Amino acid sequence: MAITTSEATSTGDRLVETVSAWPGVEVGPHRFGAVEFTIGEREIGHVHDGRVLDVNFPKRVKDVLIAEGSTGEHRFAGGGWTTFYAESDDDIGRAIRLLRISYLYTALTLRRKPAGREILEQLDLADELERLDPDGELRAIFERMRP
């Protein structure tokens, strides 16, 4: 069943509510009426109309996530950008998983800076990876980045 406009708003609200509660995440406006999620100056993703999630990943992470069917190519941009369409209310968990992968990857990338260090001090990375249940290749990417 497709999401209606009011359901899309509700989905977007739940997404914003969940992600804004993560340590170090700031929420603000993005172009074209989207809502953006950032850690410091780094964007971890943004959502349009409560149901179209765009997330930028490093190419190797993007390739793994697309291959496993977790997301798709971005509808306009190239590079590491991906687009996930929340077509049903059940897709909110999948959208949150994509943002959590971006969040953890960004925190690890920033681990030598205060923003990343503060986030990682509050998380159990092993537990995070267990909950995300990444495939072997994605897990290996994170394992190589561990502090």
Side-chain angles (χ1 to χ4, degrees):
M1 168 171 60
I3 290 183
T4 65
T5 302
S6 63
E7 288 171 326
T9 302
S10 174
T11 298
D13 290 345
R14 286 187 309 173
L15 193 60
V16 169
E17 182 180 320
T18 299
V19 178
S20 67
W22 297 346
V25 170
E26 297 174 17
V27 177
H30 189 76
R31 297 183 317 178
F32 311 116
V35 175
E36 177 178 86
F37 308 103
T38 58
I39 296 174
E41 298 294 318
R42 299 261 183 110
E43 181 182 346
I44 63 171
H46 58 267
V47 63
H48 298 272
D49 298 324
R51 65 173 210 88
V52 180
L53 175 66
D54 293 328
V55 184
N56 190 16
F57 294 104
K59 183 172 177 3
R60 65 184 187 248
V61 173
K62 171 189 171 179
D63 291 346
V64 169
L65 292 170
I66 289 174
E68 72 182 23
S70 294
T71 191
E73 292 283 347
H74 191 277
R75 59 206 187 284
F76 304 121
W81 284 100
T82 65
T83 297
F84 175 77
Y85 296 94
E87 296 177 356
S88 73
D89 199 44
D90 295 335
D91 287 337
I92 189 72
R94 293 176 61 204
I96 290 169
R97 179 179 184 266
L98 291 169
L99 284 167
R100 194 67 177 187
I101 290 168
S102 178
Y103 172 75
L104 292 175
Y105 191 92
T106 301
L108 284 166
T109 300
L110 297 173
R111 68 184 170 270
R112 289 180 177 78
K113 297 186 179 199
R117 193 169 36 251
E118 289 171 19
I119 291 168
L120 292 173
E121 286 172 356
Q122 297 179 55
L123 301 177
D124 179 340
L125 193 55
D127 184 52
E128 292 283 338
L129 291 176
E130 210 47 47
R131 278 190 272 139
L132 289 172
D133 192 28
D135 78 352
E137 192 172 347
L138 188 56
R139 182 177 293 276
I141 291 168
F142 276 102
E143 291 296 336
R144 284 192 297 271
M145 295 181 71
R146 286 179 78 133

